[in-house]
Amino acid sequence: MVNKGEVRDVDMSQNKDLDAPIEGHVKWFDATKGFGFVTLANDGPDILLHANVLRNFGRSSVVDGARVILRAQKTDRGYQAVEVLAIEASPSEADASSPAALPDLPDATDLPLVAARVKWFDKGKGFGFANVFGHQDDVFIHAEVLRRSGFAELQPGEAVAIKVVDGPRGKMAADVRTWDHA
């Protein structure tokens, strides 16, 4: 992961190819359209974030407002992300949970991340299910847990790493991470 100290303010107007990591926030990302935009921390131009670049980082989506560190290049149509180096959920998104929407979960800090595959997730309903490898039980994934983890949604068949707790109605994900954390 890139340390914040290594991220430089880059004068976008002077660089065709940007080798230096740059920091911004996701303005919006639509997994259905396959792209979104990142606004830079130093008020530079918006940067196109294509789904393929996000997939190379191990994600199929990213929540609006998430802090991202990336590399970009200038194209004929503007600036485009070529590599995502880090994604962090924004503090405002992570702390904006509605108590009625998500039950209190047991502390999952010391629990291991386990490999799982998304069975289905419906952004409109606000939940979905995954299966931990080697187990048949479904694990409930609430949209708020996903948002706190920096995801906007999950795709069926997507591999993820999750921390599983006993929720009020069965097994539930308390944390969701990219597959490479498993």
Side-chain angles (χ1 to χ4, degrees), residues 5 9 17 19 27 34 53-54 69 71 77 79-80 84 100 127 136 141 171 176 179:
D9 283 341
D17 295 310
D19 292 327
K27 186 174 189 177
V53 174
L54 199 53
I69 298 173
R71 295 187 202 290
R77 302 175 93 186
Y79 290 91
Q80 182 171 335
V84 174
F127 67 91
Q136 292 181 350
I141 301 176
K171 300 289 182 191
V176 179
W179 170 253

Side-chain angles (χ1 to χ4, degrees), residues 12-156:
M12 300 288 283
S13 64
Q14 302 300 315
N15 295 305
K16 181 166 177 66
D17 295 310
L18 304 172
D19 292 327
I22 53 178
E23 178 181 343
H25 289 87
V26 176
K27 186 174 189 177
W28 61 269
F29 186 85
D30 186 327
T32 304
K33 292 181 180 180
F35 70 93
F37 287 92
V38 171
T39 57
L40 295 181
N42 64 357
D43 295 327
D46 288 353
I47 297 174
L48 173 70
L49 177 58
H50 194 273
N52 288 337
V53 174
L54 199 53
R55 268 192 224 84
N56 288 340
F57 183 71
R59 295 272 186 107
S60 63
S61 68
V62 63
V63 68
D64 295 350
R67 177 180 170 264
V68 293
I69 298 173
L70 53 82
R71 295 187 202 290
Q73 70 180 21
K74 186 173 184 177
T75 69
D76 293 340
R77 302 175 93 186
Y79 290 91
Q80 182 171 335
V82 294
E83 180 182 18
V84 174
L85 303 171
I87 297 175
E88 296 174 8
S90 68
S92 61
E93 285 290 336
D95 296 335
S97 63
S98 165
L102 183 63
D104 288 332
L105 297 176
D107 183 23
T109 307
D110 295 330
L111 292 177
L113 285 164
V114 294
R117 188 157 311 273
V118 177
K119 191 172 183 180
W120 62 269
F121 186 84
D122 187 324
K123 188 175 180 179
K125 291 181 179 179
F127 67 91
F129 291 91
N131 294 114
V132 173
F133 288 118
H135 299 278
Q136 292 181 350
D137 297 336
D138 287 344
V139 177
F140 179 78
I141 301 176
H142 192 282
E144 186 59 33
V145 170
L146 210 56
R147 189 174 9 269
R148 289 178 186 177
S149 301
F151 290 85
E153 62 184 302
L154 297 171
Q155 300 301 314

